[in-house]
């Protein structure tokens, strides 16, 4: 990553935990990448990229080169992203059909995807599409993004609304894909999935190691050196 | 030689759709959903339908009219997240729903349109979407047999058409439309504009008229095609 | 077929046997059809259609709506048919890739193809791509055309250069497709492939039944009624 | 955000092609054949190549230069009918040739580009093209497993491109180019014109730049692209 982008991110106002988390996740995007951002928190990541950052945003409903989201009075009724937001184009955007869109994903042309999660296991298994008996809207494009993007990172709250850990030894919910997750960004920490399990990589400002351990449902490898703070 | 004329009255061609038909319906959210063809199908009332569509639109829009009118027995789809009404029908066993990974649904439809029997894919292996599917090894790796989908009818929304049935789509209203326009025995396209033969540039046509059986020009574009106010 | 076209064909100069044969074959084309004409004699069939005949000609290298062949000084360097001839477009032509082109063929959108033959069996088997040890340029698009066009008719000389019958009980050369041929046009006769074998349908002007039998390498069903002459 | 720039010097990107590489080459006859990239590959001299191309052009043109220069070990193709020189090399066992049905070659390449393992097709069953292929039943009918093809490099000819690698093709020069542009680890496109970002209409782009690694503008268009005088 060029120092330029780092400097920019340093100037981003980090007014709250989620903003800090999405700003940190934005540094995951390397110039030249093709990136798909899932609905919700991941979509916010793009707000932290400078206007001349060289990246191609992909949406699975058939667009490469997503531009800014537009208010209703400026929206094009035929131009949405996969989450239904009215987006725009950039110079060099291209439209295509749904088969071609997933051809990009499955054939390895997607460098990075950022997704939400219900659960992530310490082996990198992801569950994010179904809670039996409660929530089963269908998997959409999630399986292919999770299984085939070259790098899959997760943006999620560290625990669910009831305070239960989302990071666990094993997922209990139906899986989206096995062993797909490389890294997890939460409001508390940046955690890598390693062959030995979860490894703490960075910690949020004002959060203690004990708090992270408490909120994590699996053992956590902690480096001997000082943890970077984001 | 000159190309045959396939312009038709929307009412007359929709009248061909009988009870029990399997129908592909284009669209991803509002863009590309053939709202007018759907409304006509509601008016004419064919029942016990199997719909193949990426999503179920939103409550009170698009295919949700067919659901509310009790015309749909089965839905092959990828995601119902924006239609709580459809999820309710599914949970109460009032419709049968088959979920596909989005890109796999696209491939299965394309396979039907391409006259091939199935595609072999490893998407979803290790998840519940793989359950019950035939497994074949390719290069020593297990793949699921994802069988081709064809329909009796396809309902397509195009931006422009000519009398031979050549179609163009705009922006993300393309999505599943060009795939479904290949994969049905009777392909019915509604177009915002039907232009004389020769006005669509041959290099810019998205669907050759060879795939299309009937094309009808829309008069006024109804409010259902407009930007959704949330 | 409308009487209009018949009248036109009646006015076509039938100056020689091959011209008569291609003129007769042209009557096989029904208004509204999508047709693929193989290299050689089949290509000539189009010369017998009036300029306002409603038909769509398909070529497998990616064009629906073939227009007249052009001389070199008027040719477009990027516009050929599958045989390499410099063709043109008509109002409403569309270009597409090779996968889409064969999707049309395999999914049943091709109403008729006219092909050449080395051998045709009385069960409708076709051999037209390989003579082991002598001629093996590859099969090109022939298998898919033969196997999947809704109707396959053959235009061929009745015998090979050595005078041996091309119509036989069994093909001896490598097959293109089994049981695909419906009808055969030669300079001597029109012959149908029926469940009971070859059936003489029409005979060329000035040709005797004995001559047709002599030149045919399988038994020939001959109707009791008078044979139409073409 | 802005889209990354992939413009490159043709000489430098062709230099990446090493001995033993598998290379897809666009084109059906002259149209769409990347004559300039081929000439540069001849000049740089990588050997023991596997070529995947619809045909072998004509003697003294296109990939025939690679054949004459002894750079090709293996050719996966559909038809060599216009190149007697290539047929001679095949018959003398100087190159290995694998023939595919044309539409099946297109599907195998598309499958590679779509990240699926294989397609199941009944094309060629009962002919020698089926020999040695795995058979799988779908709905009780035998289908051949037609495995996906990918290549190390794809050499593509486009009419227009932009710096991100979005491509458009003209007329029948499209053919295999958009398919091959999806199916190689390194996709190199030569374009007759490279226009600034935003000048290609997003709905009219044939190949999204996401699939393309390098794009080089051609200077003068050599005589090899011209109408062939026969």
């Amino acid at each position: 990553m060029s120092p330029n982008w780092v400097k920019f991110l340093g100037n981003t106002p980090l007014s709250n935990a989620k903003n800090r988390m999405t700003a940190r996740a934005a540094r995951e995007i390397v110039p030249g990448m093709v990136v798909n951002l899932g609905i919700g928190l991941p979509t916010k990541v793009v707000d932290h990229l400078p206007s001349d950052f060289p990246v191609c945003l992909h949406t699975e409903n058939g667009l490469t080169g997503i531009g800014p989201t537009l208010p209703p009075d400026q929206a094009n009724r035929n131009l949405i992203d996969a989450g239904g937001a009215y987006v725009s184009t950039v110079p060099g955007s291209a439209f295509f059909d749904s088969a071609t869109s997933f051809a990009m994903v499955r054939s390895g042309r997607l460098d990075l995807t950022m997704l939400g999660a219900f659960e992530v296991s310490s082996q990198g298994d992801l569950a994010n599409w179904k809670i039996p008996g409660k929530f089963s809207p269908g998997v959409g494009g999630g399986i292919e993004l999770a299984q085939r993007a070259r790098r899959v990172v997760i943006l999620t709250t560290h625990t669910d609304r009831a305070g239960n850990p989302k990071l666990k030894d094993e997922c209990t919910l139906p899986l989206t894909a096995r062993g797909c997750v490389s890294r997890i960004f939460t409001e508390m920490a940046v955690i890598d999935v390693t062959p030995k399990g979860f490894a703490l990589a960075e910690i949020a400002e004002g959060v203690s190691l004990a708090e992270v351990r408490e909120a994590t449902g699996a053992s956590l490898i902690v480096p001997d050196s000082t943890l970077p703070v984001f | 030689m000159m190309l045959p004329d396939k312009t038709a009255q929307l009412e007359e061609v929709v009248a061909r759709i009988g009870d029990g038909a399997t129908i592909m319906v284009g669209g991803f959210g509002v863009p590309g959903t053939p709202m007018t063809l759907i409304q006509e199908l509601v008016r004419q009332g064919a029942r016990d339908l199997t719909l193949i569509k990426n999503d179920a639109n939103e409550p009170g829009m698009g295919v949700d009219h067919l659901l509310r009118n009790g015309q749909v027995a089965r839905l092959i789809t990828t995601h119902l997240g924006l239609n709580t009404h459809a999820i309710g029908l599914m949970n109460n066993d009032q419709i049968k729903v088959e979920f596909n990974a989005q890109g796999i649904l696209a491939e299965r439809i394309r396979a039907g349109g391409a006259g091939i029997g199935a595609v072999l894919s490893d998407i979803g292996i290790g998840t519940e979407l793989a359950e019950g599917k035939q497994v074949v090894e390719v290069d020593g790796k297990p793949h699921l047999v994802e069988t081709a989908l064809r329909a009796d009818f396809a309902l397509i929304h195009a931006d422009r058409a000519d009398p031979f049935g050549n179609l163009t789509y705009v922006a993300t209203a393309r999505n599943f439309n060009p795939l479904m326009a290949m994969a049905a025995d009777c392909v019915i396209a509604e177009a915002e504009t039907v232009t004389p033969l020769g006005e669509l540039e041959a290099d810019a046509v998205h669907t050759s008229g060879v795939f299309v059986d009937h094309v009808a020009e829309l008069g006024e574009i109804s409010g259902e095609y407009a930007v959704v106010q949330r």
Side-chain angles (χ1 to χ4, degrees), chain B residues 95-112:
Chain B
I95 56 170
K96 284 192 181 174
V97 176
E98 176 194 316
F99 286 118
N100 284 243
Q102 197 166 98
I104 295 303
L105 182 66
E107 283 298 313
R108 292 181 67 195
I109 294 166
R110 187 194 168 278

Side-chain angles (χ1 to χ4, degrees), chain A residues 77-78 86 130 137 147-148, chain B residues 78 80 122 128 172 192 228:
Chain A
R77 66 183 164 92
N78 289 308
Y86 288 93
K130 186 174 183 177
Q147 194 172 329
R148 286 294 180 80
Chain B
T78 79
L80 304 179
D122 64 359
E128 65 177 61
T172 59
E192 301 200 7
V228 180

Side-chain angles (χ1 to χ4, degrees), chain A residues 200-214:
Chain A
L200 189 60
E202 300 179 26
I203 197 161
E205 196 176 301
V207 175
S208 73
L209 177 57
E211 286 170 324
V212 177
R213 282 198 200 275
E214 172 72 23

Side-chain angles (χ1 to χ4, degrees), chain B residues 181-196:
Chain B
M182 300 165 70
D185 294 344
C186 180
V187 174
I188 304 170
E190 56 167 56
E192 301 200 7
T193 314
V194 176
T195 62

Side-chain angles (χ1 to χ4, degrees), chain B residues 7 160-164 166 193-201 217:
Chain B
T7 51
R160 296 212 295 159
D162 68 21
F164 181 56
N166 290 308
T193 314
V194 176
T195 62
L197 280 179
E199 291 207 1
L200 299 179
E201 208 218 320
E217 185 170 38

Side-chain angles (χ1 to χ4, degrees), chain A residues 30 35 45 49 53 70 100 114 120 175 179 181 186 193 214 228:
Chain A
V30 174
V35 180
V45 168
L49 294 177
F53 191 96
L70 299 177
T100 304
M114 296 192 175
V120 182
L175 291 185
V181 177
T186 78
V193 177
E214 172 72 23

